[in-house]
């Protein structure tokens, strides 16, 4: 294939992968987080038999289900795309990257799908205890699935436990345990699970406040708002701790990514943290707000620690890997990192404010907090997306950091037309799915509690009809 | 190089995963394809969908695990197959996605048009996916253009060869039959009658198509110098089982009819894998360029780890998946006509 066409295929494949995974990654954190809240609510129903919990359970259960399937079906695309668009990559890393994917299917997907079926249809057919267990198994299954895919992803970011077999031109596994205890994996897993709890609880919190304006359902949703707020608060505080731990690990394992995130061109001791830059990041800074020494503190846990700069790292990489450009797109890293971390700070502020109102017993009456809670719903989604773009583009030009370049991983037998057609197809399909999903979410989150209850079978499962009507 | 025991084990295991996938998702695809044929009202269609509601998603995971296991145990098989079938797999993905959404979305609105549109989506998705899986496996057998580096050098037209299209048709016919025997077990009253009627009409067609496909497979296998598998005990069994379904349905032995269609699908999948051995993809450029099990396989360490994990966890999965079939063993009964059913 001619080089130009090859590079078009590569670019299109990269955009296709990025687009489809970002879309998938709207729904994964939402379903993990919302699933956790639904499971908490069902546990409360099981223990107290309080009808307010039952109303909340059915309301949020419905919202959870609307999003669940779309997360599952868009996940299949990701598994297939490795082979479809990144065949050279798959052939090279299959010995290492394949096992976590296979284990994800065996351990996580079967659990998730089977117990979801029991949860949706099993009311009255299994005991209440088993029915409660089934929703927790769904949450466990989706969290395990996140864990296994992050094992695979973390290996791409920071390869461990492998050697290169030159005879077959493949990376082969030498230490299974090392791959599953990769330090980058452990901090990333916590990061993604906490982000999921934040996303799910932010959605539940905003919708609960929206519903509280109705006099009839105020009593029920005030309770829902409290539960969501507590999850939101605990997860966002934990996230701050994990975020800084992850920063330290990333500086160690992927110094170039963090240097780009800070637009730090030259190695510096006692480096300042840049909060905001206006102008060209490299040499024409017009205006900048910085916190002295904070970058060193965050990156190395020491006030005057030495942080490596882009120029020095590039030089070292050329020496190590040969000529080439080893610097990711700096503005992309700088701004995505700032948006993610900035939104994290906003989320913590909202959470603390909400807890303060709760403590002063003014949570339900604060008009301002109500507005903020509703408008804050998109924030975690933006933070998730920018965080994902930051971490994935920060590994470029590598598909496996320091081992295989992205350009070496793309499928050889595809023309730009092949990838172009599927790219347009995925975009068209995802726009329609996204629009339908959003419309359904809005439709159901605005619905009157009484209407929803009228549509669903009574909680004891005795619908009086032989046909289940919860879902279909 | 000859195939090691561990490699053979994983080749068999992948065959088992695909067999399980075709057995299980086969009947839920069949139900999807039968929606417009045997269900006239919205209520009837919901009855059919409810018959597979709790289990279709779990059935589909067999595909995901088959894909993942191929990636882990045979990276070159996975990468060559998925990149060669690029556009076809894109269509499969779209089909599976919209079909999955149809289950979730159809009940969210009461409008009849909304629901029948999603049912049409379910039908098309089930049909396309069944067809393409049949085409793809027949292609692996008959051969696709691969060069000496096992890179696909053909285009979409190479994949749509007559033998492969017959393979696709065979899968569709078998899945429709499998779906109708499944429904005859899961329904009562008028729906049950219609499911039995569908099985009776489809069975002769499926028998003929399968016979044609197996006969052609015999010549394909012979041209590979691998005539041991066809006509062997297993493909002949597949044919006899399907041929017997008409009779079983007439005698109201619906449980046996379902077992027979299921086992026939298993036998057909096994036949395909046996004919493929010791290769995983046949090259139509030169038979010696075919991708073999040995070349495609992961190294011993990876295969060992995977074997241990599969041995520990597979029993649990089989147990709880089997348990859901037990929980939802009851037949679907529709409320009497005129009764109000809310969504």
């Amino acid at each position: 294939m001619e080089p130009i066409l090859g590079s078009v295929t590569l670019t299109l494949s990269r955009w296709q992968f990025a687009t489809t995974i970002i879309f998938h990654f709207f729904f994964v954190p939402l379903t993990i987080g919302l699933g956790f809240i639904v499971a908490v609510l069902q546990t409360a129903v099981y223990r107290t038999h309080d009808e307010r919990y039952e109303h909340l359970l059915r309301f949020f259960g419905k919202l959870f289900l609307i999003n669940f399937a779309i997360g599952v079906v868009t996940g299949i695309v990701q598994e297939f795309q490795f082979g479809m668009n990144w065949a050279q990559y798959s052939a090279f890393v299959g010995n290492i990257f394949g096992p976590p994917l296979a284990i994800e299917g065996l351990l996580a997907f079967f659990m998730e799908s089977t117990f979801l079926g029991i949860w949706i249809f099993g009311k009255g057919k299994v005991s209440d205890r088993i029915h409660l267990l089934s929703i927790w198994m769904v949450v466990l299954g989706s969290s395990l699935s996140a864990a296994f895919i992050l094992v695979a992803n973390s290996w791409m970011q920071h390869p461990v436990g492998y050697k290169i077999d030159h005879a077959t031109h493949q990376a082969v596994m030498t230490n299974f345990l090392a791959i599953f205890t990769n330090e980058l994996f452990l901090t990333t897993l916590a990061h993604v699970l906490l982000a999921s709890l934040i996303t799910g609880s932010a959605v539940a919190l905003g919708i609960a406040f929206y519903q509280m304006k109705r006099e009839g359902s105020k009593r029920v949703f005030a309770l829902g708002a409290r539960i969501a707020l507590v999850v939101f608060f605990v997860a966002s505080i934990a996230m701050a701790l994990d975020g800084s731990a992850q920063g330290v690990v990333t500086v160690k394992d992927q110094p170039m990514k963090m240097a780009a995130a800070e637009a730090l061109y030259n190695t510096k001791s006692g480096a300042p943290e840049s909060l905001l830059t206006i102008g060209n990041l490299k040499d024409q800074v017009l205006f900048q707000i910085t916190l002295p020494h904070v970058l060193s503190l965050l990156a190395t846990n020491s006030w005057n620690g030495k942080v490596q700069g882009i120029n020095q790292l590039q030089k070292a990489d050329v020496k190590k890997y040969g000529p080439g450009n080893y610097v990711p797109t700096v503005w992309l890293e700088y701004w995505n990192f700032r948006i993610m971390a900035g939104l994290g700070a906003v989320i913590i502020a909202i959470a603390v404010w909400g807890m303060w109102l709760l403590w002063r017993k003014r949570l339900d009456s604060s008009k301002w907090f109500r507005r903020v809670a509703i408008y804050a719903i998109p924030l975690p989604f933006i933070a998730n997306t920018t965080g994902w773009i930051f971490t994935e583009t920060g590994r470029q030009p590598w598909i496996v950091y320091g081992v295989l370049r992205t350009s070496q991983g793309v499928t050889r037998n595809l023309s730009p037309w092949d990838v172009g057609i599927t790219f347009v197809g995925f975009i068209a399909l995802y726009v329609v799915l996204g629009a339908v999903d959003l419309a359904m979410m809005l439709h159901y989150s605005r619905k009157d509690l009484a209407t929803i209850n009228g549509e669903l079978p009574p909680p004891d499962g005795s619908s009086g009809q032989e046909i289940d009507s919860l879902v279909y | 190089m000859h195939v090691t025991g561990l490699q053979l084990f994983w080749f068999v295991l992948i065959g088992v995963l695909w067999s399980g996938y075709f057995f299980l998702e086969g009947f839920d695809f069949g139900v999807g394809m039968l929606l417009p044929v045997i269900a006239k009202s919205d209520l009837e269609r919901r009855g059919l969908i409810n018959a597979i509601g709790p289990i279709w998603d779990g059935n589909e995971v067999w595909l995901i695990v088959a894909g993942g296991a191929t990636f882990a145990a045979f990276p070159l098989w996975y990468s060559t197959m998925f990149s060669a079938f690029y556009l076809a797999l894109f269509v499969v993905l779209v089909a599976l996605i919209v079909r999955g959404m149809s289950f979730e979305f159809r009940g969210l609105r009461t409008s009849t048009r909304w629901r029948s549109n999603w049912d049409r989506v379910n039908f098309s998705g089930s049909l396309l996916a069944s067809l393409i899986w049949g085409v793809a496996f027949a292609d692996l057998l008959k051969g696709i253009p691969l060069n000496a580096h096992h890179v696909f050098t053909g285009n979409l037209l190479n994949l749509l060869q007559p033998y492969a299209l017959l393979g696709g048709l065979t899968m569709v016919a078998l899945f429709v039959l499998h779906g109708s025997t499944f429904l005859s077990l899961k329904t009562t009253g008028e729906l049950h009658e219609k499911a039995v009627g569908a099985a009776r009409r489809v069975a002769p067609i499926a028998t003929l198509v399968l016979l044609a496909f197996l006969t052609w497979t015999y010549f394909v296998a012979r041209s590979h110098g691998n005539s041991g598998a066809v006509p062997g005990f297993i493909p002949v069994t597949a044919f006899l089982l399907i041929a017997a379904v008409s009779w079983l349905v007439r005698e109201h032995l619906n449980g046996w009819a379902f077992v027979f269609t299921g086992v026939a699908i298993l036998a057909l999948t096994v036949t395909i894998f046996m004919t493929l051995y010791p290769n995983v993809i046949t090259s139509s450029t030169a038979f010696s360029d075919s991708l073999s099990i040995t070349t495609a396989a992961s190294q011993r360490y990876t295969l060992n780890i995977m074997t241990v994990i599969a041995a520990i966890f597979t029993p649990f999965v089989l147990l709880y998946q089997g348990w859901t079939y037990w929980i939802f063993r009851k037949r679907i009964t529709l409320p009497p006509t005129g009764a109000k059913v809310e969504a």
Side-chain angles (χ1 to χ4, degrees), chain A residues 158-188:
Chain A
H158 177 53
V160 289
Y162 75 104
K163 67 169 199 259
I164 304 290
D165 181 336
H166 293 285
T168 59
H169 186 62
Q170 282 181 327
V172 296
M173 197 189 277
T174 54
N175 188 341
F176 178 75
L177 269 185
I179 290 168
F180 275 75
T181 52
N182 188 342
E183 56 183 3
L184 204 63
F185 157 63
L186 297 172
T187 54
T188 309

Side-chain angles (χ1 to χ4, degrees), chain B residues 217-266:
Chain B
T217 305
Y218 166 70
F219 291 103
V220 169
R222 245 176 49 150
S223 74
H224 297 171
N226 181 5
S227 53
V230 198
F233 169 70
I234 291 171
V236 169
T237 308
F239 170 72
L240 292 177
L241 290 174
I242 291 296
V245 170
S246 294
W247 178 77
L248 289 172
V249 172
R250 210 172 310 130
E251 298 295 309
H252 301 288
L253 298 167
N254 296 316
W256 282 110
F258 176 69
V259 171
F260 274 41
T261 55
V263 175
I265 288 172
L266 296 182

Side-chain angles (χ1 to χ4, degrees), chain A residues 112-389:
Chain A
E112 199 178 87
S113 57
T114 308
F115 284 96
L116 188 74
I118 297 177
W119 187 67
I120 298 175
F121 290 89
K123 185 95 201 170
K125 292 195 171 78
V126 293
S127 72
D128 283 355
R129 185 187 287 240
I130 297 288
H131 193 242
L132 174 63
L133 178 75
S134 67
I135 186 70
W136 281 111
M137 293 298 272
V138 173
V139 176
L140 177 66
S142 7
S143 309
L144 278 176
S145 148
F148 291 117
I149 196 66
L150 288 173
V151 165
N153 179 266
S154 300
W155 186 81
M156 296 166 75
Q157 306 278 351
H158 177 53
V160 289
Y162 75 104
K163 67 169 199 259
I164 304 290
D165 181 336
H166 293 285
T168 59
H169 186 62
Q170 282 181 327
V172 296
M173 197 189 277
T174 54
N175 188 341
F176 178 75
L177 269 185
I179 290 168
F180 275 75
T181 52
N182 188 342
E183 56 183 3
L184 204 63
F185 157 63
L186 297 172
T187 54
T188 309
L189 176 62
H191 206 77
V192 168
L193 291 182
L194 291 170
S196 303
L197 291 181
I198 292 172
T199 309
S201 58
V203 169
L205 185 69
I207 294 174
F209 267 96
Y210 178 84
Q211 285 279 355
M212 269 160 67
K213 72 172 181 185
R214 285 202 179 94
E215 270 314 312
S217 44
K218 187 159 183 168
R219 203 176 57 94
V220 171
F221 280 100
L223 182 66
R226 274 173 184 68
I227 295 170
L229 179 65
V230 171
V231 176
F232 188 63
F233 174 76
V234 173
S236 58
I237 297 295
M239 183 61 122
L241 300 174
D242 173 74
S244 63
Q246 203 184 10
V248 174
V249 175
T250 312
V251 167
K252 189 161 142 268
D253 297 335
Q254 296 182 301
M256 185 62 103
K257 183 190 274 183
M258 286 311 279
E262 299 297 340
L264 183 73
Y265 277 88
N266 290 301
T267 302
K268 211 170 189 171
S269 297
E273 167 74 25
S274 147
L275 289 183
L276 178 78
T277 302
I278 295 173
N280 180 331
L281 292 172
K282 191 167 184 177
D283 40 25
Q284 292 165 319
V285 176
L286 299 175
F287 172 77
Q288 202 168 29
I289 307 174
T290 57
L291 300 174
H293 293 275
V294 170
L295 176 56
S296 280
L297 191 65
L298 290 177
T300 63
N301 282 332
S302 117
W303 189 246
N304 277 316
K306 190 159 147 193
V307 185
Q308 289 173 287
I310 294 170
N311 294 334
Q312 287 74 21
L313 288 165
Q314 160 73 15
K315 247 181 233 155
D317 279 354
V318 168
K319 213 169 156 188
K320 205 162 154 193
Y321 307 117
N325 179 10
Y326 299 95
V327 186
T329 315
V330 175
W331 65 266
L332 206 59
E333 297 309 285
Y334 183 86
W335 287 113
N336 276 302
F337 186 73
R338 256 143 211 80
I339 295 170
M340 174 192 74
L343 287 176
V346 173
I347 284 167
I348 292 174
I350 297 173
V352 170
W353 180 21
M355 290 305 280
W356 185 75
L357 288 173
L358 181 63
W359 181 54
R360 305 301 303 261
K361 299 200 180 356
R362 291 199 335 238
L363 185 67
D364 308 346
S365 57
S366 168
K367 283 211 169 64
W368 274 106
F369 189 78
R370 175 170 175 263
R371 271 182 210 138
V372 168
I374 294 170
Y375 286 108
I377 292 178
L379 299 187
F381 292 94
I382 303 172
N384 293 341
T385 305
T386 49
W388 191 247
I389 295 174

Side-chain angles (χ1 to χ4, degrees), chain B residues 91-161:
Chain B
V91 178
V92 168
L93 283 174
V94 173
L96 293 181
I97 289 173
V98 295
R99 179 177 181 267
M101 298 324 297
S102 81
F103 288 104
E104 213 61 65
F105 281 166
R106 98 179 284 281
L108 294 182
R109 281 181 178 251
T110 38
S111 134
T112 325
R113 225 180 101 198
W114 167 271
R115 292 185 175 187
S116 54
N117 280 340
W118 281 116
D119 291 338
R120 263 180 221 125
V121 164
N122 190 339
F123 167 80
S124 324
S126 307
L127 175 65
L128 272 176
S130 313
L131 186 71
I132 294 177
W133 286 133
V135 171
F137 272 91
D139 272 326
L140 293 184
L141 271 193
K142 181 81 168 46
I144 54 175
L146 294 185
N147 67 20
H149 302 288
H150 311 301
V151 173
F152 179 62
T153 54
N155 56 42
L156 194 60
L157 283 181
N158 296 113
L159 304 179
L160 300 176
Q161 47 189 331

